[in-house]
Amino acid sequence: MPAALGATVLCASAPFLMGSQGWDDHTRHNRFTARDFAIDYLESCAPNAILFTQGDNDTYPLWYAQEVEGVRPDIRIINLSLLGVDWYIDQLNYKINDAPPLKLTFKPEQYNGSNRDVVRYKSDPRIPAGQPVELKKVMQFIASENQRDKVMYQNGESENYLPTKNFVVEIDTNKAKAMNMLAPEDYGQMVPYLNWTIDNNALLKNDLLTLDIVANNIMERPIYFAVSVAPEAYLGLEKYFQLEGLSYHVVPKINPSNSPYSAPPRVDVMYENMMKKFKFGGITENPKVNLDENILRMTVNIRGNFGRLAEALLVKGEKEKAAEVIDYSLKSMPSDRVPHSVFDYNYPEIYYAAGQKEKGRKLLTEMLDKANDEL
């Protein structure tokens, strides 16, 4: 009995010990990083944009920033994890805040319940091999209730199918210029259509709606994917990604790497967004703000994008601006708060290329010392 009683007393005191001795490690006092990083996502988008997000951490703080703090109510946030649910798709048909409803091919009765939960690929003999089909027409075909547009099974049941994996979306180049999709110096690289192929043998409902939103809205509103969205959710559109902060803009210009992680930055817009609009949640102002692994994971993404912006400025010959970007990144997220990592390994090299060798040498020494300590 005494042993059991002692165990009970110990358990009862555990919350007190955790509270008194663990408070400084876990307090969220004066930490506004979630809100500020949410603002950074929103400020990475052009007016009236559609922004695809995916997880809790890159969605709910953005909704808070819009609904409570009134930040960028013009942006329509679409959570890809919810886009396969009928009640959520219903909401796309209504105005929210200052964001107008989206244009969709599919009617409620066509996506309600289990309707079109999955649409499987089946080669259609009416489409020549490899020939791309206008994405709107593909969506209309999948939405069709005509039995001739469905595959029939031996049990008498039928279902819609995906007739091709090769899509094309025509681009009105004059309208694209008016929408400021590309910098004027990139007009020569503008393509008159988006043409891409997906690997999917089946589209889940959220994939289907993603493609439908792109097909019906891209010439009306800027379309973005958050950088934190899983690559498989891009559905091949990374071929046309342009980095503008914490978001990829789908534009009529080929991303030569075909990788989201090497998507070319739009320097003028990205500089304006990251250098003038981004917030950092009090990391610099209050050194006692607790930065846990979730926050640090976001900071290294931002650090990496500052590096990509600086590299793009170097390519344009703007050395002073490139060094200024690295200065600002290290000031906003100092190394004693945000440790160096592989995401900012290029910072010393950027300083050297910008002609600021002393800064580069000092930073490189600091990073090497950290690496040696870790080893």
Side-chain angles (χ1 to χ4, degrees), residues 18 21-28 31 290-292:
M18 290 172 62
Q21 297 181 22
W23 176 260
D24 58 341
D25 296 324
H26 301 286
T27 175
R28 271 62 169 172
R31 192 174 81 178
N290 176 36
L291 303 181
D292 60 24

Side-chain angles (χ1 to χ4, degrees), residues 94-166:
Y94 299 95
K95 178 182 177 182
I96 293 183
N97 298 320
D98 295 340
L102 275 68
K103 295 181 178 179
L104 299 175
T105 300
F106 297 94
K107 308 301 180 188
E109 61 271 17
Q110 296 172 325
Y111 59 73
N112 278 344
S114 60
N115 290 336
R116 294 174 177 82
D117 272 349
V118 59
V119 179
R120 297 170 182 85
Y121 168 70
K122 179 183 178 295
S123 178
D124 193 313
R126 293 169 291 185
I127 302 173
Q131 178 177 309
V133 180
E134 175 63 41
L135 185 57
K136 275 187 181 181
K137 291 183 178 179
V138 176
M139 295 298 107
Q140 290 163 2
F141 180 84
I142 294 173
S144 172
E145 298 297 347
N146 192 321
Q147 288 298 317
R148 291 179 300 178
D149 297 331
K150 299 184 179 185
V151 59
M152 299 291 297
Y153 297 112
Q154 290 182 345
N155 62 3
E157 294 182 356
S158 63
E159 69 176 2
N160 294 93
Y161 64 95
L162 175 67
T164 181
K165 297 183 181 183
N166 305 300

Side-chain angles (χ1 to χ4, degrees), residues 198-254:
I198 63 170
D199 298 325
N200 308 51
N201 287 317
L203 295 176
L204 299 179
K205 191 179 290 183
N206 55 349
D207 300 324
L208 186 64
L209 267 294
T210 299
L211 291 173
D212 193 44
I213 290 167
V214 171
N216 287 287
N217 296 273
I218 192 165
M219 292 313 304
E220 305 292 331
R221 304 166 70 174
I223 295 179
Y224 291 84
F225 285 85
V227 296
S228 43
V229 169
E232 58 268 21
Y234 297 143
L235 298 173
L237 285 162
E238 62 268 22
K239 181 179 178 181
Y240 298 99
F241 276 2
Q242 175 175 266
L243 182 63
E244 297 185 6
L246 286 179
S247 65
Y248 298 116
H249 190 178
V250 182
V251 298
K253 174 176 173 264
I254 292 175

Side-chain angles (χ1 to χ4, degrees), residues 53-54 56 59-60 63 78-89 91 205-206:
T53 62
Q54 190 170 39
D56 295 353
T59 303
Y60 299 135
W63 281 342
I78 302 177
N79 182 283
L80 293 166
S81 302
L82 295 174
L83 194 55
V85 185
D86 50 13
W87 59 261
Y88 184 76
I89 301 170
Q91 295 180 12
K205 191 179 290 183
N206 55 349

